Amino acid sequence: MTSQDVSHRAKVTLPKTAYGLIAILVLLVVASVTTPGFARVDNIFVVIRAASLTGIVAIGMSYITISGNLFALSASALGALLAVLFALLTAALGFAAGLFLTLGIAVLCGLAQSVAISLIGNPIITTLAFGTVFRGLAALSSGNSILRIESEAALWLGTARPLGIPTQSWAFIIAAILSWFIIRHFKIGREIVLCGANPKAAVASGLRVGLVTAIACAALSIGVAVMAIMTVSQFSQAKADLFMGYDFDYIAAVLVGGIALRGGKGTPLQAALGAVLIALLQNFMLLHGLSAGVRMTIVGLLVIASISLFHILQGRGR
């Protein structure tokens, strides 16, 4: 065996998704053994539904990060606006019209943000400002009151369990597989990765950086719309303060999943695994009676540890 073969074997590493799967399996075993009630079917469904809604948005957020635009701070506010609009449109025009119009409005909101990001060049400031606008529009549209809907179709969408699995989880699984396939096998997916890896080289090479930003923002907005529609359908109501403070959860799922903060590396599947891991950890801590402050601190430390670990792994892989 040559020294080159030894060197090659030494550099063989697990795929990034494997780390997430291992962490999830370890946490599942530990929680099941040490926590009474964790493995109950009803509790597992609670975890699955929580991971699904956060994960759907995190998958969309991963496009933002992979494309080199860091992350968006407008997701939770956009979710509130879309929830309010879905309730209003469903009450006025019916479920089907409300569903498709809400998705259309979501895409337009994503495109508007992408144009602003391309012009301003700072996704953090841009999306923070848009978040304020979205939250304000949600309050104006709802009149700061709870909007209720009565729709059998919406109720089915929010509460049904085809084959025993919640509809939210079906949407989560489909979104994860579809997003992974787009990144890995579509030309635009490869452009998203290349633009994130080196934005200046992407511009010089003639890659469609503006289109990549638009698609990333639209993907996030569609994920937010799905979350908003599912939430309103489940509880048959919407209000302007929905999803307050959830932006950190979406970003944390992306980073815990191991997607490079600077862009150009990772897949949406990693964000999905990050969302599952955080949902399991949150449920584990909740069953042990830990306060909200302690839970938030631990999740924050997990994000820091994840970023540090993947930075070290990337350094060794060079």
Side-chain angles (χ1 to χ4, degrees):
M1 183 181 294
T2 66
S3 59
Q4 186 176 6
D5 292 331
V6 174
S7 176
H8 175 71
R9 289 192 176 186
K11 289 183 179 180
V12 174
T13 58
L14 292 172
K16 293 296 190 296
T17 52
Y19 295 104
L21 287 171
I22 292 170
I24 289 170
L25 290 174
V26 169
L27 182 55
L28 276 172
V29 172
V30 172
S32 298
V33 172
T34 63
T35 311
F38 178 84
R40 289 200 320 261
V41 174
D42 58 341
N43 185 64
I44 294 299
F45 274 123
V46 169
V47 175
I48 290 172
R49 184 171 272 124
S52 298
L53 291 175
T54 300
I56 289 168
V57 180
I59 287 169
M61 186 73 75
S62 70
Y63 278 88
I64 300 286
T65 306
I66 295 170
S67 67
N69 288 295
L70 297 175
F71 42 79
L73 294 178
S74 59
S76 63
L78 178 59
L81 174 60
L82 294 174
V84 167
L85 293 177
F86 174 66
L88 291 171
L89 291 167
T90 298
L93 303 173
F95 171 74
L99 176 68
F100 287 109
L101 286 173
T102 301
L103 289 171
I105 293 169
V107 172
L108 291 177
C109 289
L111 294 178
Q113 291 183 89
S114 72
V115 171
I117 290 172
S118 297
L119 292 174
I120 298 172
N122 189 320
I124 303 300
I125 298 300
T126 302
T127 56
L128 183 63
F130 267 96
T132 303
V133 173
F134 293 149
R135 188 71 69 177
L137 290 174
L140 286 172
S141 301
S142 65
N144 278 320
S145 61
I146 297 175
L147 303 175
R148 304 186 188 280
I149 64 171
E150 294 183 6
S151 170
E152 291 296 326
L155 188 62
W156 182 90
L157 181 64
T159 60
R161 292 182 178 180
L163 302 179
I165 299 174
T167 50
Q168 294 89 341
S169 299
W170 281 115
F172 178 40
I173 293 168
I174 292 170
I177 295 173
L178 183 61
S179 297
W180 173 85
F181 193 81
I182 289 172
I183 286 290
R184 289 297 189 190
H185 298 287
F186 276 64
K187 180 182 178 181
I188 190 62
R190 293 191 291 273
E191 288 191 28
I192 289 172
V193 174
L194 291 171
C195 287
N198 194 328
K200 291 183 179 179
V203 173
S205 301
L207 294 180
R208 301 169 293 179
V209 178
L211 178 62
V212 162
T213 302
I215 289 175
C217 290
L220 172 60
S221 296
I222 291 172
V224 170
V226 171
M227 174 197 64
I229 291 168
M230 289 285 192
T231 301
V232 176
S233 297
Q234 181 182 353
F235 298 105
S236 297
Q237 64 180 36
K239 51 184 179 176
D241 62 353
L242 278 174
F243 317 120
M244 193 77 76
Y246 280 25
D247 284 310
F248 177 77
D249 294 342
Y250 311 141
I251 297 168
V254 171
L255 299 179
V256 169
I259 293 175
L261 183 59
R262 64 178 179 271
K265 291 184 179 180
T267 70
L269 188 56
Q270 290 174 245
L273 292 174
V276 173
L277 179 60
I278 290 175
L280 286 169
L281 180 61
Q282 289 277 19
N283 185 263
F284 174 69
M285 294 188 292
L286 188 63
L287 291 177
H288 279 275
L290 299 182
S291 66
V294 173
R295 297 199 304 271
M296 187 178 296
T297 300
I298 291 175
V299 172
L301 291 173
L302 177 62
V303 172
I304 294 172
S306 299
I307 295 172
S308 302
L309 174 62
F310 284 110
H311 179 73
I312 292 171
L313 291 174
Q314 287 171 5
R316 287 181 178 178
R318 290 169 185 163

